[in-house]
Amino acid sequence: MKNQLAPLTTFQLGGPCRALIECRTPDELKAALSVLIAHDTPYVLIGGGSNLLVSDQGVDAVVVRYFAEEPLMEVEDEVVEVAGSTILDHLVRAAIERGLSGVTTCSGIPGTVGGAIVGNAGAFGKQIGDVLESAELMNERGDVYRVMADELGFAYRRSRLQETGEVVLSARLRLASSDREAMREERASILDLRREKHPDWRTEPCIGSIFRNVEPTSKAGRRQAAGWFLQEAGAKLLRVGGAFVYRKHANIIIKGEDGTADDVFELARLMGQAVRDRFGFELEREVRFLGPFRQAANAPTDRFF
Ligand SMILES: Cc1cc2nc3c(=O)[nH]c(=O)nc-3n(C[C@H](O)[C@H](O)[C@H](O)COP(=O)(O)OP(=O)(O)OC[C@H]3O[C@@H](n4cnc5c(N)ncnc54)[C@H](O)[C@@H]3O)c2cc1C
């Protein structure tokens, strides 16, 4: 069937969209969005699809995929200008090979640079927003402009872009010269650790952590892992149809062979409920839901089309 979204997400889930437009470069993306905006056509932008649960019924909109197989970047001294479509891990590898540090801790995180900036992706206490100098954006009216990083409202797994619908055409990162061999070693040990603790989405389809870690209640406190609360609440025992909780991490859902997006949606709801029943507070979802789901009346998705 045409325009299926499942192959474009790491969950391998999602029905069709009205039409699919693939863009690699900032210019291609600007041109495509300008036409859609001029015709008042609803669209959704996706990158690597590694933080998205797309409905089995699909999305009643045009999907624009901003994704490049090869890194699109220019480096001058310690400043890197990179297209939002570049795969984050390609950026990490290229930076290390040029002896530039600042993104090494992002080794192995799936998705694109654009997707990473929107969700301020990161690991080991560091995130992409820490090294972003500025970004070139396009808004829903078609205006293109550059903003400095401190205008993007970065916080833990957050940026203002999650609410505004502005897209990241490209990003300028300020990195620092560092020892290449030490960074290669750091990257290798991070990838080993990730292999040990995380599923490989190519063989065990998933979208990373479903819920955000829990913010401290006082300034002295530390953020607490959502996975710990889920584990204590017995989430690892939960299963809905073909969707189940990853055996090594209670905050990750795996899609089994016959799993559907509705199964995942319901399982995520039950996981949240388990924590509410056991601890009396609400976990906040980290992943984005697109399209209509079976339980939509009770728990709204991010966008309805
Ligand atoms: C196995 C696994 C491990 C993971 N580990 C981590 C981790 O350690 N740390 C972490 O932070 N995340 C992790 N993730 C989650 C995911 O990799 C990140 O959230 C990633 O940054 C999402 O990027 P993406 O390109 O795939 O975005 P998508 O999933 O395609 O989109 C996510 C959201 O970003 C928007 N978006 C995408 N590109 C753009 C753009 N150019 N401009 C504007 N909006 C855009 C989309 O509209 C959507 O709302 C993991 C995921 C998996 C599957």
Side-chain angles (χ1 to χ4, degrees):
M1 267 200 291
K2 267 179 70 182
N3 300 332
Q4 291 294 313
L5 295 169
L8 308 182
T9 72
T10 57
F11 234 152
Q12 298 289 303
L13 285 171
C17 57
R18 273 204 220 167
L20 178 66
I21 302 176
E22 307 240 15
C23 299
R24 275 179 67 250
T25 66
D27 283 346
E28 285 174 15
L29 183 60
K30 274 187 255 183
L33 295 186
S34 298
V35 174
L36 293 170
I37 291 167
H39 290 83
D40 229 354
T41 307
Y43 64 85
V44 179
L45 188 98
I46 66 167
S50 63
N51 205 27
L52 283 180
L53 175 65
V54 183
S55 155
D56 298 318
Q57 293 165 56
V59 180
D60 188 15
V62 172
V63 168
V64 180
R65 183 179 185 235
Y66 191 36
F67 188 88
E69 298 288 348
E70 297 299 322
L72 300 178
M73 53 193 274
E74 282 170 23
V75 183
E76 205 179 319
D77 299 327
E78 296 179 336
V79 176
V80 176
E81 183 82 31
V82 57
S85 55
T86 295
I87 294 171
L88 181 63
D89 201 52
H90 287 174
L91 164 71
V92 175
R93 268 200 322 229
I96 292 174
E97 290 317 309
R98 284 174 165 87
L100 293 172
S101 76
V103 286
T104 312
T105 47
C106 289
S107 293
I109 299 180
T112 60
V113 169
I117 290 172
V118 170
N120 199 13
F124 307 103
K126 296 197 176 131
Q127 34 267 315
I128 188 104
D130 301 344
V131 290
L132 186 77
E133 190 172 278
S134 65
E136 191 185 33
L137 306 181
M138 183 165 177
N139 67 16
E140 290 177 326
R141 291 190 304 279
D143 310 317
V144 174
Y145 45 91
R146 185 169 284 278
V147 297
M148 301 308 287
D150 62 7
E151 296 169 72
L152 288 176
F154 283 124
Y156 164 71
R157 301 290 177 273
R158 280 187 205 285
S159 80
R160 79 161 201 225
L161 303 172
Q162 288 161 329
E163 272 82 49
T164 61
E166 293 160 294
V167 305
V168 180
L169 297 166
S170 64
R172 189 173 296 160
L173 311 177
R174 181 163 291 276
L175 304 180
S177 297
S178 192
D179 180 61
R180 191 171 301 151
E181 206 40 55
M183 287 188 290
R184 283 183 186 144
E185 279 170 25
E186 188 185 352
R187 172 175 166 81
S189 68
I190 289 173
L191 292 179
D192 279 349
L193 200 70
R194 293 187 78 93
R195 265 191 290 273
E196 204 182 290
K197 296 200 161 168
H198 290 258
D200 178 347
W201 58 268
R202 294 170 196 85
T203 49
E204 294 184 288
C206 62
I207 44 171
S209 296
I210 301 294
F211 297 100
R212 289 176 203 279
N213 288 334
V214 180
E215 296 295 339
T217 46
S218 80
K219 278 195 177 148
R222 294 183 59 180
R223 201 172 288 122
Q224 288 176 284
W228 182 86
F229 292 101
L230 285 158
Q231 162 120 7
E232 291 299 302
K236 279 191 183 169
L237 303 172
L238 296 172
R239 179 178 188 125
V240 175
F244 54 92
V245 177
Y246 185 46
R247 63 194 180 286
K248 295 187 193 171
H249 198 316
N251 197 8
I252 294 177
I253 295 178
I254 305 288
K255 177 192 94 82
E257 238 167 61
D258 52 357
T260 65
D262 274 339
D263 292 343
V264 173
F265 186 87
E266 178 61 5
L267 179 53
R269 194 184 66 79
L270 293 177
M271 289 159 73
Q273 187 179 311
V275 169
R276 194 184 318 125
D277 291 348
R278 169 88 163 74
F279 294 102
F281 74 91
E282 208 66 51
L283 284 176
E284 206 184 325
R285 184 154 49 77
E286 178 167 323
V287 297
R288 312 282 280 185
F289 288 178
L290 274 185
F293 291 88
R294 221 172 24 205
Q295 291 283 332
N298 298 347
T301 58
D302 294 323
R303 285 199 187 210
F304 292 95
F305 287 104

